[in-house]
Amino acid sequence: MEKYSTIRTEIQGEILLVQLNRPEKRNAINDALLLEIETVFSNIPSGVKCAVIHAKGNHFSAGLDLSELTERNAVQGLHHSRMWHRVMDKVQFGTVPVVAVLHGACVGGGLELASACHIRVAEASTFYALPEGQRGIFVGGGASARLPKLIGMARMADMMFTGRVITAEEGNTIGISQYMVEEGVGLEKGIQLATKISGNAGMTNYALMHVLPRIADCTQEQALMMESLISAIAQDTPEAKDRLKLFLANKAKKVGEF
Ligand code: 1HE
């Protein structure tokens, strides 16, 4: 099925693996790569229930391909940033949850891509930075909206003010990644998580992807109403009814056995 030049895709059962494949440029994200990500996430094959983004070479991604940041004027820069937003939204608000498997540099636009995913697994070599501050630019791929939700605004501002590098361990403590694993086993862990996620009721995954982040942006009053609406819809699905019947018949796994 390979029709891409900057990424590789592979389907394993219900899981779509998407590999960033510009190791010679440290997986710097040029427009071609960005648009290939958009194509992949706009055309998730039926039967796929979860995706895993990982990367070839020693780094997840060195961020925006700086060689393309030439003589853009403000209007062109605006359109370019909005193109990033469109693609990152496709990842975050597409049809399947996305697990990011990180290693080496996860910086600038690479961190923006990772932040648009739903769960992040970091190998021990991962490091995070937002070099935009030092390059004289500003994030444009959605980091200012997404990253503070993971680590808080003060930490993001510090990363940009100072160019500070965050280690894998620190990143796991402050909430960039949800899992930290030894070098070389990130993809295995990512696939294991994707397999679990694929086994969830479809409405639960939909609510986690599409409703939970909207609830987070609401006032408490609106949030609670949205929560009631989605919880009423979820409990009414046949999948939910079947799962509850299994539990009541003592045939379902207990907490801790999932
Ligand atoms: C690149 C890029 C890139 C590497 N754009 N070409 N991002 C940055 O400021 C990060 C810049 N990159 C680095 O700091 C380092 O490359 C790394 C720490 C990630 C990796 O170091 P290393 O020693 O393994 O690789 P290298 O020798 O620096 O780079 C290898 C090649 O990749 C080299 O090209 P070559 O043709 O000379 O071999 C580099 O020029 C190329 N390369 N990173 C273009 N980023 C939506 S707005 C988002 C804004 C941002 O993301 S700003 C952050 C940009």
Side-chain angles (χ1 to χ4, degrees), residues 24-26 59 62 64-66 84 108-109 112 131-132 135 140-141:
E24 69 290 352
K25 294 290 177 190
R26 308 309 184 248
H59 300 281
L64 178 71
D65 189 318
L66 294 170
W84 267 73
E112 295 187 296
E132 288 87 339
R135 304 261 181 243

Side-chain angles (χ1 to χ4, degrees), residues 47-173:
V48 166
K49 294 198 174 153
C50 193
V52 178
I53 296 186
H54 62 122
K56 190 166 181 183
N58 293 331
H59 300 281
F60 177 74
S61 173
L64 178 71
D65 189 318
L66 294 170
S67 70
E68 287 188 354
L69 225 187
T70 45
E71 295 293 307
R72 273 191 210 117
N73 63 26
V75 174
Q76 291 162 333
L78 176 64
H79 285 299
H80 188 257
S81 168
R82 296 302 284 163
M83 176 170 79
W84 267 73
H85 290 172
R86 192 184 74 221
V87 177
M88 295 304 117
D89 270 3
K90 204 46 104 179
V91 174
Q92 184 179 4
F93 299 117
T95 53
V96 294
V98 186
V99 179
V101 175
L102 313 174
H103 69 289
C106 178
V107 305
L111 181 52
E112 295 187 296
L113 173 60
S115 304
C117 298
H118 301 92
I119 291 186
R120 283 149 295 277
V121 175
E123 292 190 350
S125 65
T126 310
F127 60 93
Y128 310 95
L130 290 173
E132 288 87 339
Q134 275 53 49
R135 304 261 181 243
I137 54 177
F138 195 76
V139 291
S144 40
R146 293 190 177 94
L147 197 54
K149 288 182 176 156
L150 300 178
I151 64 173
M153 193 177 72
R155 285 202 183 93
M156 175 174 168
D158 177 30
M159 287 174 79
M160 289 192 70
F161 275 132
T162 64
R164 175 178 182 163
V165 172
I166 307 264
T167 63
E169 199 162 37
E170 201 183 346
N172 202 59
T173 305

